[in-house]
Amino acid sequence: MRPIIIANWKMNLGYRDSLKLAEDLVRAIPEAELYKKDVVVCPSASSLLIVAEMFKKHHIVMGAQDVFWREQGAFTGCESPKFLWEAGCRLAIIGHSERRQNLQETDAMVNQKIKAALVAGLAPILCVGETYEERAAGKTDNVIMGQTIKALSGIQLLANEQLVVAYEPVWVIGSGRPIEPEEAEHASRIIYQTLLDLFPLTIVQNNIRIVYGGSIDGSTVSDFTGLEYFGGFLVGGASLHAEEFASIIKQTE
Ligand code: PGA
């Protein structure tokens, strides 16, 4: 499958800075890269429309940082997957650890969000990963297996639907240092095996990509590009700099 490189701008940029970075990205990423790789940018909700306008004539795809599980109604402050699609989003990050921690998002909520995203035509980017305490207690494998199973319970992917599972060890996000590539590879194997228990082999091979996220930048990405089950990256801090993000894209095979 084509590699996928996802920028998660988090809550870092307002409207003007988002527009500026979107412009810089269009200049920094050669068109030829976009024919071979899927490049996704997830801005804040308040900047989606302006960024969508900027990417209209380019092959950079836009994603949302979250979705709600209902399509429409009295849900103040929530973002409808259907409306996010209308705003130009084609993917949505779901279950990011910052939402699990700050907003007490549960696996059950993540599951509902994934279902709703798929109905709206958005490809979910499911985030899973262990905290430092869970890792120290030797629970990493169980945590990522459990999160993956609960998030995807009752979901059947159709041949035209895509899913991304991002392995993001919570303790390295924003730390400036990724984990050892061998540890990441072990986690990706666990996720791959879990996916094989949930979906037919052809779906796992053709419709699902596993990516790594957690302090990836232009100087560390090459340590992770050859790993067996990874097909790309979810990038936070380093995606806020156009040249740095372009360098990550260039090095991703
Ligand atoms: P980071 O963030 O690259 O800044 O560690 C990754 C993420 O949280 O998706």
Side-chain angles (χ1 to χ4, degrees):
M1 287 182 84
R2 288 155 64 92
I4 184 166
I5 307 100
I6 305 156
N8 177 9
W9 289 357
K10 308 192 180 185
M11 203 179 72
N12 283 305
L13 304 175
Y15 178 87
R16 285 182 193 82
D17 289 338
S18 297
L19 178 60
K20 166 88 173 57
L21 182 53
E23 279 169 355
D24 291 348
L25 284 176
V26 165
R27 270 194 294 270
I29 304 169
E31 275 287 290
E33 292 281 18
L34 301 172
Y35 294 129
K36 295 180 285 185
K37 302 165 191 178
D38 292 332
V39 175
V40 183
V41 169
C42 304
S44 293
S46 53
S47 301
L48 287 174
L49 290 179
I50 191 76
V51 170
E53 197 56 38
M54 191 67 223
F55 290 160
K56 225 179 202 165
K57 296 194 199 73
H58 297 270
H59 292 94
I60 302 175
V61 179
M62 196 171 67
Q65 294 182 14
D66 180 47
V67 291
F68 191 54
W69 55 79
R70 296 286 291 270
E71 189 178 286
Q72 193 168 7
F75 305 104
T76 304
C78 299
E79 294 290 342
S80 151
K82 182 179 172 208
F83 300 162
L84 289 168
W85 167 273
E86 283 176 13
C89 294
R90 294 297 172 261
L91 300 93
I93 297 172
I94 296 176
H96 192 281
S97 60
E98 286 152 14
R99 295 193 62 88
R100 292 182 193 255
Q101 288 186 331
N102 298 326
L103 294 148
Q104 281 70 52
E105 246 183 50
T106 64
D107 290 318
M109 292 179 196
V110 169
N111 178 248
Q112 290 193 69
K113 289 181 174 195
I114 290 179
K115 287 177 177 159
L118 287 168
V119 168
L122 299 169
I125 303 164
L126 162 66
C127 298
V128 300
E130 79 287 0
T131 62
Y132 187 77
E133 292 71 30
E134 288 163 341
R135 176 175 182 259
K139 292 184 183 156
T140 300
D141 294 3
N142 279 342
V143 168
I144 55 184
M145 222 185 298
Q147 286 178 343
T148 306
I149 291 170
K150 287 178 199 153
L152 299 173
S153 143
I155 289 167
Q156 278 163 359
L157 283 186
L158 304 175
N160 63 349
E161 290 176 331
Q162 295 284 322
L163 169 72
V164 177
V165 181
Y167 170 58
E168 296 207 304
V170 177
W171 50 283
V172 303
I173 291 176
S175 71
R177 268 191 69 181
I179 60 169
E180 291 301 320
E182 297 72 33
E183 258 193 89
E185 191 166 41
H186 172 76
S188 72
R189 193 173 305 121
I190 299 284
I191 294 170
Y192 188 81
Q193 293 298 338
T194 308
L195 292 170
L196 283 180
D197 288 340
L198 298 172
F199 300 102
L201 177 64
T202 50
I203 290 284
V204 175
Q205 286 177 337
N206 301 326
N207 302 58
I208 307 180
R209 280 171 288 192
I210 304 172
V211 302
Y212 171 76
S215 292
I216 279 294
D217 62 24
S219 67
T220 52
V221 65
S222 60
D223 296 338
F224 292 82
T225 47
L227 303 185
E228 193 175 354
Y229 298 106
F230 285 121
F233 299 98
L234 176 53
V235 188
S239 74
L240 298 171
H241 309 280
E243 293 300 333
E244 185 81 21
F245 190 55
S247 156
I248 294 171
I249 294 166
K250 189 169 170 221
Q251 294 179 65
T252 304
E253 296 300 337

